[in-house]
Amino acid sequence: MTINDKSSATPNKSKTVVEQHIPIKNVKIHGDKNTGKARYAPGDQIYVRKFSGFFQKLRQRMNLVYFAFFLILPWLQYDGHQAVLFDISEQRFTLWGLTLWPQDLTLLAWLFIISAFLLFFVTAFLGRVWCGYMCPQTVWTFIFIWFEEKIEGTANQRRKLDAQENNANKVIKKTAKHTAWLLFSLLTAMTFAGYFSPMQDLFVDVFTFNTSLAMAGILIFFTLATYGNAGWMRETVCLHMCPYARFQSAMFDKDTLTVSYDSNRGESRGPRSRKDDPKELGLGDCIDCNLCVEVCPTGIDIRNGLQYECINCGACVDACNGVMSKMNYAQGLIRYTTEHELKGKKVHILRPKLIGYAVLLIIMSSMLLLEIVNRVPLSLDIIRDRTELARENFNGEIENVYTLKILNMSQTDNTYKLSVKGIENARWNGDQEITVKAATVSTLPISIAVDPYDLENYMSDITFVVEQISPESDAKVEQESRFFNKR
């Protein structure tokens, strides 16, 4: 493409033509051999063909571990309580021996930031592998496809079944498939809800029909969401709803490892016998079997170049390698590679972008660990008596009334010692030792009395001190307040 920019500096001087060349990569879109139309239109039903290979076995094992982890985690118990519980109603998150409160939102913020930069690092290095191997949408989609294969058969059998008119066989298979989908979606919804509500109580309430209307609504919503996303929408979520698919290209470079087709080796493509020499026929290694398209869960043709729809699952790699082995050709026509490698250039594994992400990850992870180590599982909130700032008691002392709220953020019952400093000879009225149960708040009303001769100003700064004495610990918190004199 050429852009002619004509400009004149002065009226009497000749015009200068400046040519700016914008690089364009021409991509040939290959269509159906008979009609010439695109093999897949956006609204077409994609019948993913089953194919085995190294990357598909790796993906299946990773999906199994991921799903088992998701399913089992909320059932685990730790020290008498659910190991992982994000209790929104009680405003506390429990992670084994760590309980996080609203005061600890900075820790959660650090976790989210680190997770985002880890995703950026992995994407810059290995492309969109998160989508292909770990994304819940991909995992659940392949699980739903597994139900389809077991009930309706192979991709060709499913295609023929959908083309049939309604009959008993079709109705039975469709009913069985959708029933399996809905039951699995309900299991998913109940497990997901178990991260936010005690799991054992939740399952008992559901199976005894004793759950609340709010929880029933949540379960219905997530059941239908799972059923719709993994059963009906599938690749539509990846292509049109997932924001990651849109901004991933900003993290790619020419050394990013992606699933790519080696056009220099594969073109020109065309069918041939296994005994034929492709060089004599003027053909490349690609036999145009279309198997790489049939196994793709998003229905793209990887031979058209890198596309944002590609989720780097490696299904087309396994399919192509299987065909190459049968044709006695070298594997790797479609493979995980980089743009530089395909062009015969040197691949740079260590590059500024990756190093920058790695350094940021180390710094942020160190700060998170430092904050966790220095975290004091104790909080103190002081509420003054607003009706009367100061009063004179029967001993002639000036007295201020306070309400102390002590939050035990640990998972054990602790005993604390309370004191005040800042004014000489201040007298504490109330309990100075209190036991607070694990993960609870205890309210303690007290008053501080001071001889008026010890007060030099109308307002004095004081500090309340709470120290843990049992079990023995270094946990200690100090909170400033004010002591008022009578005018």
Side-chain angles (χ1 to χ4, degrees):
M1 180 182 293
T2 303
I3 298 177
N4 294 329
D5 184 13
K6 300 180 180 180
S7 59
S8 58
T10 59
N12 298 325
K13 290 186 177 181
S14 61
K15 296 181 180 180
T16 303
V17 178
V18 179
E19 292 188 352
Q20 295 178 332
H21 296 280
I22 300 177
I24 293 179
K25 182 184 292 184
N26 293 320
V27 177
K28 183 180 179 182
I29 305 298
H30 295 273
D32 186 84
K33 289 176 243 181
N34 298 321
T35 64
K37 297 180 180 179
R39 287 190 169 104
Y40 287 99
D44 286 349
Q45 170 73 31
I46 296 178
Y47 298 90
V48 181
R49 179 169 175 172
K50 184 178 180 181
F51 200 92
S52 181
F54 172 79
F55 293 107
Q56 294 315 289
K57 290 179 180 177
L58 176 63
R59 177 190 57 76
Q60 290 167 2
R61 286 175 172 80
M62 291 184 66
N63 289 177
L64 181 62
V65 171
Y66 176 81
F67 179 69
F69 185 77
F70 166 78
L71 200 64
I72 296 173
L73 189 58
W75 288 100
L76 298 179
Q77 297 290 310
Y78 178 85
D79 199 19
H81 59 81
Q82 187 169 318
V84 178
L85 179 61
F86 307 112
D87 196 336
I88 297 177
S89 62
E90 296 293 333
Q91 297 185 349
R92 67 170 181 256
F93 293 173
T94 302
L95 300 170
W96 280 274
L98 180 66
T99 300
L100 300 179
W101 297 81
Q103 296 91 328
D104 300 312
L105 282 179
T106 53
L107 294 177
L108 293 177
W110 278 119
L111 284 174
F112 288 135
I113 294 172
I114 290 172
S115 299
F117 273 90
L118 180 60
L119 181 62
F120 299 160
F121 175 82
V122 172
T123 303
F125 184 38
L126 299 174
R128 204 176 167 185
V129 291
W130 159 260
C131 294
Y133 292 86
M134 290 294 288
C135 176
Q137 176 66 21
T138 303
V139 174
W140 263 253
T141 294
F142 276 110
I143 292 175
F144 274 48
I145 291 175
W146 180 83
F147 280 113
E148 278 188 337
E149 292 172 346
K150 295 300 180 183
I151 296 173
E152 295 183 354
T154 63
N156 287 332
Q157 290 173 331
R158 298 198 300 273
R159 188 179 289 107
K160 291 178 181 178
L161 183 67
D162 287 345
Q164 292 177 8
E165 295 183 358
N166 290 333
N167 52 49
N169 178 57
K170 183 175 181 179
V171 170
I172 291 173
K173 287 186 175 181
K174 291 293 182 181
T175 302
K177 180 184 75 173
H178 288 285
T179 300
W181 281 1
L182 283 169
L183 290 176
F184 187 80
S185 298
L186 177 60
L187 174 63
T188 300
M190 292 172 64
T191 303
F192 182 75
Y195 283 89
F196 302 91
S197 178
M199 176 62 88
Q200 295 179 354
D201 296 339
L202 174 64
F203 265 69
V204 172
D205 290 343
V206 169
F207 287 108
T208 57
F209 300 98
N210 195 34
T211 185
S212 65
L213 289 177
M215 181 56 71
I218 291 172
L219 292 177
I220 292 172
F221 172 79
F222 281 106
T223 297
L224 294 179
T226 305
Y227 172 73
N229 285 350
W232 291 93
M233 300 177 72
R234 293 188 180 175
E235 74 283 349
T236 303
V237 175
C238 300
L239 303 185
H240 306 295
M241 296 174 65
C242 177
Y244 179 52
R246 299 295 178 176
F247 69 75
Q248 60 166 331
S249 58
M251 292 171 278
F252 280 21
D253 56 38
K254 294 184 179 181
D255 290 306
T256 299
L257 200 63
T258 59
V259 173
S260 302
Y261 167 69
D262 191 346
S263 58
N264 294 327
R265 174 185 159 189
E267 300 297 326
S268 296
R269 68 186 71 165
R272 81 294 302 267
S273 168
R274 187 185 303 179
K275 298 180 180 179
D276 292 336
D277 185 353
K279 293 182 179 180
E280 294 180 358
L281 299 176
L283 298 173
D285 285 356
C286 179
I287 67 173
D288 204 19
C289 64
N290 201 37
L291 196 59
C292 57
V293 181
E294 294 179 9
V295 299
C296 179
T298 58
I300 65 170
D301 190 339
I302 195 63
R303 296 171 294 180
N304 291 333
L306 179 63
Q307 300 150 72
Y308 79 90
E309 298 93 339
C310 177
I311 62 173
N312 259 28
C313 65
C316 55
V317 177
D318 288 332
C320 186
N321 283 342
V323 173
M324 292 296 102
S325 296
K326 292 179 181 179
M327 296 295 295
N328 294 322
Y329 298 165
Q331 295 185 356
L333 178 60
I334 300 176
R335 63 185 184 272
Y336 283 95
T337 185
T338 68
E339 188 174 343
H340 274 160
E341 184 184 0
L342 288 174
K343 292 181 179 180
K345 298 181 180 179
K346 183 180 179 180
V347 177
H348 302 87
I349 298 178
L350 294 178
R351 48 197 189 274
K353 181 186 291 187
L354 273 184
I355 296 174
Y357 284 144
V359 170
L360 285 174
L361 278 172
I362 293 172
I363 293 174
M364 290 185 292
S365 299
S366 300
M367 294 181 70
L368 173 62
L369 290 175
L370 185 64
E371 189 164 347
I372 291 175
V373 170
N374 294 329
R375 175 179 177 267
V376 179
L378 174 63
S379 177
L380 172 64
D381 189 18
I382 303 171
I383 303 174
R384 289 188 51 85
D385 184 2
R386 299 299 181 185
T387 60
E388 190 176 15
L389 292 179
R391 68 189 182 193
E392 186 175 344
N393 61 20
F394 61 91
N395 291 326
E397 298 171 319
I398 304 303
E399 192 172 32
N400 285 197
V401 177
Y402 306 85
T403 300
L404 307 182
K405 289 193 172 183
I406 304 164
L407 171 58
N408 178 10
M409 295 188 288
S410 69
Q411 296 179 358
T412 59
D413 298 346
N414 299 329
T415 301
Y416 302 101
K417 179 183 177 181
L418 295 85
S419 59
V420 65
K421 61 183 181 179
I423 299 178
E424 294 291 336
N425 303 318
R427 185 164 57 86
W428 183 290
N429 296 318
D431 295 333
Q432 284 194 269
E433 285 191 9
I434 182 172
T435 299
V436 184
K437 292 187 177 298
T440 58
V441 179
S442 183
T443 301
L444 178 66
I446 61 101
S447 66
I448 302 297
V450 180
D451 191 314
Y453 292 103
D454 293 329
L455 298 174
E456 298 180 358
N457 302 311
Y458 168 67
M459 183 181 68
S460 302
D461 294 331
I462 60 174
T463 302
F464 287 92
V465 181
V466 181
E467 300 175 89
Q468 181 176 327
I469 57 176
S470 177
E472 188 174 349
S473 171
D474 294 332
K476 178 181 178 181
V477 65
E478 297 184 357
Q479 183 70 39
E480 291 185 354
S481 187
R482 303 290 182 268
F483 187 93
F484 290 89
N485 192 2
K486 287 183 69 67
R487 288 191 181 273

